[in-house]
Amino acid sequence: MIGLVAATAAGRSAAAELAQRWSDARDYDEPVAAALRRAWTECDGVVCFLAVGASVRLLAPLLGTKTTDPGVVCVDEARRFAVPVVGGHAGGANALAARVAAALGCEPVITTASDAAGIPALDTFGADLGFRVEPGSDQAAVGAALLSGTPVTVLADATWPLPPLPANVSTDPEPTAPLIAITDRLIEPPRPAVVYRPPSLVVGVGASRGAPAAEVLDLVDDALNEAGLSPLSVGHLATVDVKLAEPGIVAAAGSRGWPLAGHAADRLAAIAVPNPSEVVRAAVGTPSVAEAAALAGGRAELVVAKRVSRHATVAVARHAPRGWLTLVGLGPGARDLMTPRASAAIVRAGVVVGLDSYVDQVRDLLRPGTRVLASGLGAEEKRAAAAVAAARDGHAVALLGSGDAGVYAMGSPALALAGADIDVVGVPGVTAALAAAALLGAPLGHDAATISLSDLHTPWEVIERRVEAAAAGDFVVTFYNPRSRDRDWQLGKALALLAAARHPQTPVGIVREASRPEQRVLLTTLAEFSAGPDCDPEYDPAYDVDMRSVVVVGSSTSHVVAGRMVTPRGYRWQS
Ligand code: SAH
C-alpha cells in the first residue's frame, strides 16, 4: 500500500490524482503530521507532497532501520521533482520516485550513491536471486570501498547470474577484505565483509505420522550446523506429495518461512540416492524421501546424507544456480520505442551479446563491468552460441535484437541451442512492421502476412510460393529484407505476383529507417511502384528500397484516406 500525504491545496489535488490512478494508493486526508505518522506505520511506501525539510522534521522521530522503514518520496508544490528521502533501496523509495515521476510527469532526483554511479547497491544486491544478507555484515564499509574504487574481492561458491560489478571488484578464491562473499557455508570472513546467503540448499524431509515440528526442526538444524551450512541459504523444504500436509513438516517450514515443495513418489523413485530403503518404498512408493526430495528438480549434489531421528529423516542438497538468457527486442531504432522492460533487462545483464550496431545503440545503459560480446554482421550462429554458453555458465545474459528479438532475428537460433538447464525470458519489442504500419496509417487492420525476401536462409522457390499464397489469400503483406546490393530482382518479382491478383491502385507503403533520424515514408500504388526505374522515365529515386526498409502492400480492401493507408477491419465494418 502506498500512502499519500499532502499539506496544501496543490498537494491535495496531486494526491487525489494519484489515488484515482493507483489501485494500491491510499489518501490520508488529515493534518499532515498525523497523516505522515499513520501512513508510516500502515504503508510500504509514502508519497509526501511537502518540502523535503518539513518532511525530514516530521520523519526524524519515526526512523527505525533501513530494512524495516517504508520508503518516502517528497514531491514539491509545482510537481517538478520526486525526491526519495529515506529508504531509497530496501524501502523502495527510488522505485517509487520513478513511479511518481511517470504518473505526474516530474523528474526523479536520485541521490543514493550507487545508483548515481551505476554500481549495485549492497543492501539489495542479489535480492532478485533470493540472496539474504547475513546479519552483522558491513554494508556501509564495503559499499564505500566499492564506490571509491579501492579493490574489493568477491568470493562465490558458484557462478550466480549477478548484475555487473565494477572494475575494482575481482573474484578471488581466498577471502580478502573488503569482501563480498556469496556462500551457503558458515565462514569467519576477514572484515569488512558482506556475506550473502544464496538460496542454494534444499532440505529434503520425511516424517512418520504425528512427528512433532520441534523434532523435525532440531534434525534440520543439527544437519545444517554439523555440515557447516547456513540456515539462511535454505531455499525450500521438499518432501513427497503424500507428506505435504503432515503437520510437523508444515509447522517446521512455516516457523522459518521456508516454502514447502512436494514431489510425486514415482518422480522421487527415479532419483539415484546413496541410502535407499525398501521399507520406505513399501510405505510411500519411493525408496527415498529425504535424499531424493533434496536432490529433485535441478543439478544438485547431496551435502548431508540421510539423518534419522525417531519420527523424521532429513537430507540436504546443494543446487547449482541456473543462468539466464533474456532475448531483448530493442525496437526499430528510436529510444522511446524501446520498452522500459528492455532497458531494465540490459541494465541488469552481466553479459550483453549482440551485433556491434545494436550494442552501440544501448551503450549508455551498460553498467560498469558489463561484459560485452559484440560481433559484426553474419556471425549469427556464433553470437547465438556465445550467448547460450554464457547463460549455461551461470551468467545473466541479454541477447539483443532490433525490433523484436524473435522476429527474423537471434531468438530462434539461440533457443535451438538452449537446453532446459537455463532460464529464458523474452522481452518483446516493437517490430519494423509495426513501426512502419504506425507511420503509414492503419494498414494492418485485417489479416496480414510478413514475408522476408532474403533467400540467404530460404530458397527462392519457397519464398515465391508464400508470396503466391499471400496473393491468393488476399493478405496485406509486409516485406522484410526487401532488397540488397546482391538481391535486386526479388522485390520486383514479388510485387508482380501480388499485382496479378490485386488492382493497380492498391496502396503500397515504403518505410525506410523507421523511427531513426533518416526515416523516410512514402505512399504509392502497386502500379506506380512496380514500374520501377527501368520502365519509368519519371522514376522517383525516393522509391529506392534497401535492407533498412520494409514494404507494405495493401490487400484488395486497403485504400488511402487523407493520405493514410487504411485496411478496413472487415466487410461488416463500415471502415
Ligand atoms: N527483428 C527485426 C527484423 C530484423 S530483419 C524486427 O522485429 O523488426 C532486418 C530487416 O528488418 C531489415 O532488412 C528491414 O527490412 C527491417 N527493418 C529493421 N529495422 C527497420 C527500420 N527501422 N525501418 C525499416 N525497416 C527495418
Side-chain angles (χ1 to χ4, degrees):
M1 179 71 75
I2 304 298
L4 307 173
V5 174
T8 64
R12 286 233 168 74
S13 95
E17 235 175 85
L18 289 188
Q20 208 184 18
R21 288 163 67 174
W22 290 356
S23 59
D24 62 342
R26 172 159 172 213
D27 203 351
Y28 287 80
D29 194 6
E30 59 192 291
V32 70
L36 186 53
R37 265 197 303 277
R38 215 144 66 75
W40 177 269
T41 52
E42 292 174 0
C43 297
D44 313 304
V46 182
V47 183
C48 201
F49 295 90
L50 192 65
V52 169
S55 308
V56 166
R57 283 180 202 288
L58 294 172
L59 288 169
L62 308 177
L63 293 175
T65 68
K66 64 180 179 178
T67 48
T68 51
D69 287 348
V72 178
V73 173
C74 287
V75 179
D76 64 303
E77 185 79 359
R79 300 185 187 193
R80 282 173 309 161
F81 303 110
V83 191
V85 173
V86 293
H89 296 137
N94 288 355
L96 181 58
R99 217 178 138 196
V100 172
L104 298 180
C106 51
E107 194 175 334
V109 181
I110 307 297
T111 59
T112 41
S114 49
D115 294 86
I119 288 167
L122 290 183
D123 42 4
T124 50
F125 180 73
D128 59 351
L129 299 171
F131 287 11
R132 297 201 187 135
V133 182
E134 176 80 16
S137 286
D138 313 309
Q139 276 122 307
V142 178
L146 206 57
L147 273 173
S148 65
T150 49
V152 172
T153 56
V154 171
L155 166 96
D157 291 345
T159 304
W160 288 86
L162 300 176
L165 290 163
N168 56 318
V169 179
S170 57
T171 50
D172 194 337
E174 277 305 306
T176 316
L179 176 76
I180 294 172
I182 304 166
T183 181
D184 53 30
R185 292 175 295 117
L186 299 172
I187 55 169
E188 275 302 326
R191 298 285 178 159
V194 182
V195 179
Y196 292 99
R197 297 303 185 188
S200 48
L201 304 176
V202 176
V203 180
V205 188
S208 53
R209 191 166 305 152
E215 183 185 328
V216 175
L217 268 182
D218 282 348
L219 196 59
V220 174
D221 286 337
D222 287 350
L224 292 170
N225 198 35
E226 276 172 40
L229 298 170
S230 167
L232 283 178
S233 268
V234 173
H236 65 272
L237 257 50
T239 186
V240 64
D241 274 347
V242 293
K243 293 287 178 187
L244 259 181
E246 180 59 40
I249 297 179
V250 173
S255 72
R256 296 287 171 83
W258 290 326
L260 181 59
H263 300 287
D266 55 351
R267 209 168 141 233
L268 295 183
I271 296 172
V273 295
N275 301 297
S277 150
E278 284 314 310
V279 180
V280 174
R281 187 202 290 276
V284 286
T286 164
S288 164
V289 172
E291 289 184 345
L295 288 167
R299 279 180 299 145
E301 53 162 345
L302 210 58
V303 284
V304 179
K306 180 165 82 173
R307 294 168 64 105
V308 186
S309 65
R310 217 173 135 201
H311 304 98
T313 55
V314 305
V316 184
R318 177 181 286 135
H319 284 242
R322 290 162 67 84
W324 77 55
L325 175 65
T326 313
L327 304 173
V328 184
L330 302 181
R335 176 55 65 87
D336 61 353
L337 286 182
M338 178 163 109
T339 65
R341 193 178 293 191
S343 327
I346 294 165
V347 167
R348 173 64 181 78
V351 181
V352 167
V353 186
L355 197 65
D356 318 76
S357 57
Y358 299 162
V359 174
D360 282 342
Q361 199 180 317
V362 296
R363 204 165 281 284
D364 60 301
L365 294 177
L366 303 183
R367 298 279 164 130
T370 309
R371 192 144 62 90
V372 176
L373 306 176
S375 45
L377 262 177
E380 267 125 12
E381 305 285 330
K382 222 177 86 202
R383 273 200 301 281
V388 171
R392 199 169 277 153
D393 285 344
H395 297 290
V397 183
L399 179 58
L400 311 182
S402 84
D404 183 272
V407 174
Y408 304 124
M410 297 301 295
S412 30
L415 294 202
L417 299 171
D421 55 341
I422 62 170
D423 293 324
V424 174
V425 176
V427 179
V430 175
T431 63
L434 293 179
L439 289 164
L440 291 166
L444 306 181
H446 208 285
D447 303 337
T450 53
I451 299 179
S452 166
L453 291 183
S454 167
D455 50 8
L456 213 59
H457 301 291
T458 313
W460 173 253
E461 304 75 67
V462 175
I463 299 173
E464 195 171 307
R465 269 208 305 281
R466 291 197 180 161
V467 178
E468 282 165 353
D474 194 23
F475 288 95
V476 172
V477 182
T478 305
F479 289 113
Y480 274 70
N481 305 306
R483 181 188 283 155
S484 70
R485 220 170 327 131
D486 305 327
R487 286 188 304 101
D488 54 2
W489 54 266
Q490 284 86 346
L491 179 63
K493 178 82 207 237
L495 290 176
L497 290 171
L498 290 181
R502 288 176 200 184
H503 60 80
Q505 293 313 307
T506 300
V508 174
I510 303 158
V511 176
R512 189 164 177 276
E513 301 270 33
S515 87
R516 299 186 187 136
E518 309 83 53
Q519 170 180 299
R520 215 169 51 195
V521 182
L522 194 93
L523 196 52
T524 177
T525 62
L526 208 41
E528 205 175 327
F529 187 46
S530 304
D534 303 327
C535 319
D536 183 0
E538 306 274 276
Y539 173 70
D540 180 349
Y543 291 3
D544 270 354
V545 168
D546 61 10
M547 281 297 278
R548 293 154 173 219
S549 319
V550 286
V551 176
V552 185
V553 182
S555 70
S556 64
T557 59
S558 305
H559 52 281
V560 174
V561 182
R564 299 180 193 104
M565 188 168 170
V566 177
T567 303
R569 284 193 59 190
Y571 295 103
R572 292 202 203 116
W573 283 65
Q574 286 308 302
S575 192

